[in-house]
Amino acid sequence: MRRSPGAAGATATLDVSAEAAVAAQVRRTLEAVFEAVAETRAETAALLTRVAAEGRRPASVDLAALRPGLHLRLTRQELVSGAGFVAAPGLLGDVPAWLEWWQQGSDGGVRPLLLDLDPEHSAYSDYTHWDWFALPRDTGQRAVAGPYVDYLCSDEYSLTLSAPVQLDGRFLGVAAADVYLRHFEGAVVPLLQRLPGASYLVNARGRVAASADPAHLAGSLTRGPDFAGVLAAARTTVHGAMRLVPCDGVPLVLVTPAG
């Protein structure tokens, strides 16, 4: 049976409304984590401002002042499995690189991440090429990196949410938080399943962050659309058979069938 133009328009309006509602709920889920990142960012900037006022370079020992806040965020925010500040190389006077990073264990205890960052011995000494560091550095904006197997911190499939820490326009590093993919999927996949067509979420690089579409598994890449451009424009667009809905302020795009 043929639909009248009015009926087709009404169906499209309902679909768009449902997509907007899901995008908004995804935003609310991630904003809770980004709030923790923002708190770490503010505390780090304030700490580095105080050190600069003393007329000296910061050292790794100075970053110990961040620990009470990091421990609080790990125990307060259920999606956050790790949190901290990752220094830009050359920022600190005593070490070439540093992660002031803390994690919550399966027993609920909070423990530090202890890494050998000596470039002569460690494969992890240069973290500057990873998306969670490079995207905030290069864009000045918040980022969602992954999912990826987090060999650096947990050996878990994870997402990392990060934001740049800057002082007088100088990039000093990133504040960040890890979220286990299984926890993120538990929060957002039921939302995706409410939509009539197979849908999924991608980050600015086109990597699938969560999916209710068996053709696009979490961690895979979606090629073609300029997802970073969609996020920058902050409006829904259509690319071929895909409708691209930015998630209302967080750096993820909801992808649904355009038809």
Side-chain angles (χ1 to χ4, degrees):
M1 180 175 68
R2 292 183 62 186
R3 288 192 181 127
S4 68
T11 301
T13 299
L14 289 172
D15 290 346
V16 169
S17 176
E19 291 165 0
V22 167
Q25 288 178 285
V26 170
R27 178 192 64 78
R28 286 192 288 271
T29 298
L30 283 186
E31 281 295 356
V33 180
F34 271 124
E35 285 175 11
V37 172
E39 291 171 1
T40 301
R41 179 185 188 180
E43 289 184 2
T44 305
L47 170 64
L48 296 175
T49 297
R50 290 195 299 271
V51 170
E54 296 171 4
R56 63 181 180 87
R57 287 179 68 186
S60 56
V61 67
D62 291 310
L63 300 180
L66 300 175
R67 293 173 186 175
L70 295 174
H71 294 182
L72 177 63
R73 270 154 237 143
L74 282 167
T75 56
R76 184 185 64 193
Q77 173 48 252
E78 62 180 354
L79 278 181
V80 175
S81 59
F85 168 68
V86 184
L91 172 69
L92 304 178
D94 59 329
V95 289
W98 188 262
L99 287 84
E100 184 61 43
W101 196 265
W102 291 75
Q103 301 168 284
Q104 189 169 43
S106 57
D107 60 355
V110 176
R111 62 180 186 270
L113 174 67
L114 302 175
L115 285 176
D116 177 7
L117 293 176
D118 185 338
E120 294 187 4
H121 305 104
S122 174
Y124 304 117
S125 60
D126 181 13
Y127 43 70
T128 61
H129 62 285
W130 291 348
D131 279 355
W132 50 260
F133 190 92
L135 280 169
R137 178 196 62 201
D138 296 344
T139 67
Q141 305 296 319
R142 305 187 303 181
V144 176
Y148 61 98
V149 179
D150 188 2
Y151 294 114
L152 183 65
C153 297
S154 64
D155 290 333
E156 285 259 5
Y157 218 31
S158 302
L159 298 168
T160 301
L161 282 63
S162 55
V165 178
Q166 299 172 322
L167 186 60
D168 297 328
R170 178 190 173 201
F171 174 75
L172 304 179
V174 301
D178 283 342
V179 176
Y180 291 150
L181 180 64
R182 51 191 166 88
H183 295 161
F184 180 65
E185 287 181 320
V188 302
V189 169
L191 303 176
L192 301 176
Q193 290 172 334
R194 296 177 190 173
L195 296 173
S199 60
Y200 53 99
L201 296 163
V202 301
N203 66 14
R205 303 280 203 205
R207 191 166 298 280
V208 178
S211 179
D213 181 355
H216 294 85
L217 301 179
S220 63
L221 281 172
T222 299
R223 303 188 184 278
D226 177 9
F227 294 108
V230 172
L231 290 169
R235 64 175 180 270
T236 298
T237 62
V238 173
H239 181 92
M242 294 178 283
R243 182 181 289 117
L244 311 175
V245 185
C247 287
D248 204 15
V250 300
L252 286 180
V253 176
L254 171 63
V255 182
T256 65

